[in-house]
Amino acid sequence: MKKIITHRFTITMVLTGLLMGAMTLIGGGVYPVAFGALWICFAIALGSAAVGIKKDLNNG
């Protein structure tokens, strides 16, 4: 579990999620479609990061 938490993809995705959350709170009412598209892209990137972490941990 510690390897997953300290993995670079995990740290990057947490920081990106916090940044996107702050951006959505600030500008989500003005540009809801754009932020919706960003959240969809973030969800895809999050899935890719999960697969990358799993492969990385399985390989050593």
Side-chain angles (χ1 to χ4, degrees):
M1 185 71 173
K2 184 177 180 181
K3 289 182 180 180
I4 294 173
I5 292 173
T6 58
H7 197 278
R8 60 189 162 88
F9 284 154
T10 306
I11 296 167
T12 302
M13 295 311 288
V14 167
L15 293 176
T16 304
L18 291 173
L19 177 65
M20 286 186 56
M23 289 176 11
T24 302
L25 288 175
I26 293 169
V30 180
Y31 303 108
V33 175
F35 281 102
L38 281 175
W39 278 106
I40 290 170
C41 292
F42 178 69
I44 293 169
L46 190 61
S48 298
V51 170
I53 290 170
K54 184 176 179 182
K55 284 183 180 178
D56 202 21
L57 293 179
N58 286 340
N59 291 333

